[in-house]
mmCIF file of all heavy atoms in Angstrom:
data_model
loop_
_atom_site.group_PDB
_atom_site.id
_atom_site.type_symbol
_atom_site.label_atom_id
_atom_site.label_comp_id
_atom_site.label_asym_id
_atom_site.label_seq_id
_atom_site.Cartn_x
_atom_site.Cartn_y
_atom_site.Cartn_z
ATOM 1 N N ASP A 1051 -35.072 41.528 -111.012
ATOM 2 C CA ASP A 1051 -35.685 40.194 -110.754
ATOM 3 C C ASP A 1051 -34.683 39.196 -110.119
ATOM 4 O O ASP A 1051 -34.973 38.477 -109.216
ATOM 5 C CB ASP A 1051 -36.227 39.621 -112.016
ATOM 6 C CG ASP A 1051 -37.466 40.322 -112.572
ATOM 7 O OD1 ASP A 1051 -38.067 41.103 -111.714
ATOM 8 O OD2 ASP A 1051 -37.805 40.203 -113.763
ATOM 9 N N LEU A 1052 -33.404 39.323 -110.629
ATOM 10 C CA LEU A 1052 -32.375 38.489 -110.082
ATOM 11 C C LEU A 1052 -32.095 38.807 -108.643
ATOM 12 O O LEU A 1052 -32.057 37.827 -107.759
ATOM 13 C CB LEU A 1052 -31.058 38.736 -110.881
ATOM 14 C CG LEU A 1052 -29.886 37.793 -110.716
ATOM 15 C CD1 LEU A 1052 -30.296 36.420 -111.332
ATOM 16 C CD2 LEU A 1052 -28.633 38.312 -111.432
ATOM 17 N N ILE A 1053 -31.998 40.058 -108.294
ATOM 18 C CA ILE A 1053 -31.776 40.455 -106.872
ATOM 19 C C ILE A 1053 -32.929 39.987 -105.992
ATOM 20 O O ILE A 1053 -32.762 39.522 -104.859
ATOM 21 C CB ILE A 1053 -31.531 41.945 -106.768
ATOM 22 C CG1 ILE A 1053 -30.280 42.381 -107.489
ATOM 23 C CG2 ILE A 1053 -31.425 42.375 -105.271
ATOM 24 C CD1 ILE A 1053 -28.992 41.739 -107.059
ATOM 25 N N LYS A 1054 -34.201 40.156 -106.455
ATOM 26 C CA LYS A 1054 -35.362 39.757 -105.735
ATOM 27 C C LYS A 1054 -35.335 38.239 -105.459
ATOM 28 O O LYS A 1054 -35.649 37.788 -104.370
ATOM 29 C CB LYS A 1054 -36.605 40.120 -106.491
ATOM 30 C CG LYS A 1054 -36.960 41.642 -106.506
ATOM 31 C CD LYS A 1054 -38.085 41.887 -107.445
ATOM 32 C CE LYS A 1054 -38.342 43.414 -107.640
ATOM 33 N NZ LYS A 1054 -39.376 43.760 -108.622
ATOM 34 N N SER A 1055 -34.856 37.475 -106.422
ATOM 35 C CA SER A 1055 -34.771 35.998 -106.223
ATOM 36 C C SER A 1055 -33.676 35.675 -105.209
ATOM 37 O O SER A 1055 -33.896 34.736 -104.387
ATOM 38 C CB SER A 1055 -34.448 35.314 -107.579
ATOM 39 O OG SER A 1055 -33.158 35.558 -107.966
ATOM 40 N N PHE A 1056 -32.566 36.429 -105.247
ATOM 41 C CA PHE A 1056 -31.523 36.181 -104.251
ATOM 42 C C PHE A 1056 -32.097 36.471 -102.844
ATOM 43 O O PHE A 1056 -31.819 35.810 -101.862
ATOM 44 C CB PHE A 1056 -30.322 37.068 -104.511
ATOM 45 C CG PHE A 1056 -29.603 36.730 -105.811
ATOM 46 C CD1 PHE A 1056 -28.716 37.698 -106.317
ATOM 47 C CD2 PHE A 1056 -29.804 35.539 -106.445
ATOM 48 C CE1 PHE A 1056 -28.053 37.394 -107.536
ATOM 49 C CE2 PHE A 1056 -29.141 35.293 -107.617
ATOM 50 C CZ PHE A 1056 -28.254 36.178 -108.204
ATOM 51 N N LYS A 1057 -32.852 37.600 -102.785
ATOM 52 C CA LYS A 1057 -33.336 38.048 -101.471
ATOM 53 C C LYS A 1057 -34.267 37.025 -100.826
ATOM 54 O O LYS A 1057 -34.228 36.908 -99.575
ATOM 55 C CB LYS A 1057 -34.090 39.373 -101.667
ATOM 56 C CG LYS A 1057 -34.399 40.166 -100.414
ATOM 57 C CD LYS A 1057 -35.066 41.504 -100.732
ATOM 58 C CE LYS A 1057 -35.503 42.216 -99.471
ATOM 59 N NZ LYS A 1057 -36.218 43.440 -99.766
ATOM 60 N N LEU A 1058 -34.972 36.318 -101.607
ATOM 61 C CA LEU A 1058 -35.947 35.278 -101.083
ATOM 62 C C LEU A 1058 -35.166 34.172 -100.292
ATOM 63 O O LEU A 1058 -35.761 33.546 -99.447
ATOM 64 C CB LEU A 1058 -36.730 34.702 -102.220
ATOM 65 C CG LEU A 1058 -37.802 35.585 -102.887
ATOM 66 C CD1 LEU A 1058 -38.430 34.923 -104.056
ATOM 67 C CD2 LEU A 1058 -38.856 36.056 -101.853
ATOM 68 N N LEU A 1059 -33.896 34.002 -100.701
ATOM 69 C CA LEU A 1059 -33.141 32.891 -100.098
ATOM 70 C C LEU A 1059 -32.591 33.225 -98.717
ATOM 71 O O LEU A 1059 -32.175 32.323 -97.964
ATOM 72 C CB LEU A 1059 -31.941 32.481 -100.961
ATOM 73 C CG LEU A 1059 -32.327 31.977 -102.388
ATOM 74 C CD1 LEU A 1059 -31.039 31.755 -103.202
ATOM 75 C CD2 LEU A 1059 -33.140 30.682 -102.323
ATOM 76 N N LEU A 1060 -32.502 34.529 -98.385
ATOM 77 C CA LEU A 1060 -31.800 35.003 -97.132
ATOM 78 C C LEU A 1060 -32.351 34.325 -95.924
ATOM 79 O O LEU A 1060 -31.617 33.979 -94.991
ATOM 80 C CB LEU A 1060 -31.895 36.522 -97.010
ATOM 81 C CG LEU A 1060 -31.037 37.323 -98.014
ATOM 82 C CD1 LEU A 1060 -31.239 38.786 -97.808
ATOM 83 C CD2 LEU A 1060 -29.568 36.977 -97.832
ATOM 84 N N ASP A 1061 -33.684 34.217 -95.833
ATOM 85 C CA ASP A 1061 -34.275 33.642 -94.580
ATOM 86 C C ASP A 1061 -34.403 32.132 -94.644
ATOM 87 O O ASP A 1061 -34.816 31.492 -93.689
ATOM 88 C CB ASP A 1061 -35.642 34.251 -94.319
ATOM 89 C CG ASP A 1061 -35.569 35.779 -94.030
ATOM 90 O OD1 ASP A 1061 -34.552 36.187 -93.478
ATOM 91 O OD2 ASP A 1061 -36.536 36.501 -94.407
ATOM 92 N N GLN A 1062 -34.073 31.520 -95.810
ATOM 93 C CA GLN A 1062 -34.275 30.070 -95.972
ATOM 94 C C GLN A 1062 -32.962 29.370 -95.939
ATOM 95 O O GLN A 1062 -32.975 28.140 -95.526
ATOM 96 C CB GLN A 1062 -34.971 29.827 -97.301
ATOM 97 C CG GLN A 1062 -36.274 30.520 -97.506
ATOM 98 C CD GLN A 1062 -36.843 30.410 -98.946
ATOM 99 O OE1 GLN A 1062 -36.429 29.501 -99.671
ATOM 100 N NE2 GLN A 1062 -37.687 31.356 -99.271
ATOM 101 N N LYS A 1063 -31.853 29.941 -96.333
ATOM 102 C CA LYS A 1063 -30.612 29.262 -96.474
ATOM 103 C C LYS A 1063 -29.528 29.922 -95.633
ATOM 104 O O LYS A 1063 -29.633 31.074 -95.263
ATOM 105 C CB LYS A 1063 -30.159 29.269 -97.903
ATOM 106 C CG LYS A 1063 -31.192 28.768 -98.949
ATOM 107 C CD LYS A 1063 -31.352 27.259 -98.929
ATOM 108 C CE LYS A 1063 -32.275 26.771 -99.993
ATOM 109 N NZ LYS A 1063 -32.455 25.276 -99.942
#
Side-chain angles (χ1 to χ4, degrees):
D1051 290 342
L1052 194 66
I1053 298 300
K1054 289 172 185 175
S1055 71
F1056 295 163
K1057 192 178 176 185
L1058 291 174
L1059 298 176
L1060 288 176
D1061 295 329
Q1062 304 170 22
K1063 307 286 185 180

